[in-house]
């Protein structure tokens, strides 16, 4: 007879495990917020009165300043670093075509070479053609 050592994944304990993770996450986020607010208060009270002659602040005022700064300067959204080319650099349709690939995916590799070889001349011809159409 084998022992079931993985009893936390059994159905009766799965909900308990999820509730524990949620509680741990809320506790951790709250602790981080209090710690961050405390450090903002310490830095403000250390620097601002000495540099600018501003009065000291309480912990809750420091938390309010952090929230206000986040709203004004950063919002509450995730930032996505890097241009889309880097973000989707390993996309499945980049080097091969499949059902998800855009219609131009297999032609895109020729774009730079085309622009170097023919792009400027073609563009200049297009501009001249449009100028002639406008003048007529």
């Amino acid at each position: 007879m084998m022992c079931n050592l993985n009893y936390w994944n059994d159905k009766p304990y799965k909900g308990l495990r999820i509730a524990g993770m949620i509680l741990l996450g809320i506790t951790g986020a709250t602790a981080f917020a209090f710690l961050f607010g405390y450090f903002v208060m310490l830095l403000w009270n250390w620097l601002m009165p000495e540099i600018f002659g501003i009065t000291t602040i309480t912990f809750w005022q420091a938390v309010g300043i952090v929230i206000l700064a986040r709203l004004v300067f950063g919002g509450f959204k995730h930032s996505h670093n890097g241009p889309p080319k880097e973000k989707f650099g390993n996309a499945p349709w980049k080097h091969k075509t499949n059902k998800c690939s855009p219609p131009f995916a297999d032609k895109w590799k020729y774009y730079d070479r085309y622009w170097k070889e023919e792009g400027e001349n073609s563009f200049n011809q297009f501009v001249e053609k449009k100028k002639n159409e406008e003048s007529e």
Side-chain angles (χ1 to χ4, degrees):
M1 182 169 140
M2 293 200 96
C3 270
N4 185 4
L5 298 176
N6 199 6
Y7 59 89
W8 285 108
N9 286 330
D10 290 344
K11 287 194 178 192
Y13 293 108
K14 198 170 193 175
L16 184 63
R17 190 173 120 226
I18 291 171
M21 290 176 138
I22 290 171
L23 186 63
L24 184 65
I26 291 171
T27 305
T30 303
F32 181 75
F34 275 104
L35 190 65
F36 194 70
Y38 182 71
F39 281 121
V40 168
M41 181 189 72
L42 285 178
L43 284 171
W44 181 284
N45 291 339
W46 175 46
L47 296 172
M48 293 302 193
E50 218 172 289
I51 296 172
F52 299 110
I54 300 173
T55 61
T56 59
I57 61 173
T58 66
F59 170 77
W60 293 110
Q61 288 171 329
V63 170
I65 288 172
V66 169
I67 292 170
L68 182 64
R70 184 72 178 159
L71 285 171
V72 170
F73 297 115
F76 286 102
K77 60 182 185 255
H78 266 310
S79 64
H80 298 287
N81 297 331
K85 184 177 180 182
E86 292 175 14
K87 182 178 176 185
F88 298 113
N90 294 326
W93 47 265
K94 186 174 181 184
H95 299 292
K96 60 183 179 183
T97 58
N98 57 24
K99 289 183 179 180
C100 298
S101 68
F104 57 84
D106 56 338
K107 299 175 190 173
W108 193 252
K109 61 184 175 183
Y110 301 112
Y111 176 78
D112 289 331
R113 198 166 69 190
Y114 169 80
W115 186 252
K116 285 178 186 174
E117 294 175 9
E118 299 181 21
E120 192 170 351
N121 293 331
S122 297
F123 178 71
N124 290 335
Q125 290 173 0
F126 175 77
V127 169
E128 289 300 320
K129 184 174 89 172
K130 290 298 174 185
K131 284 182 180 178
N132 290 337
E133 288 175 3
E134 289 175 0
S135 64
E136 291 176 356

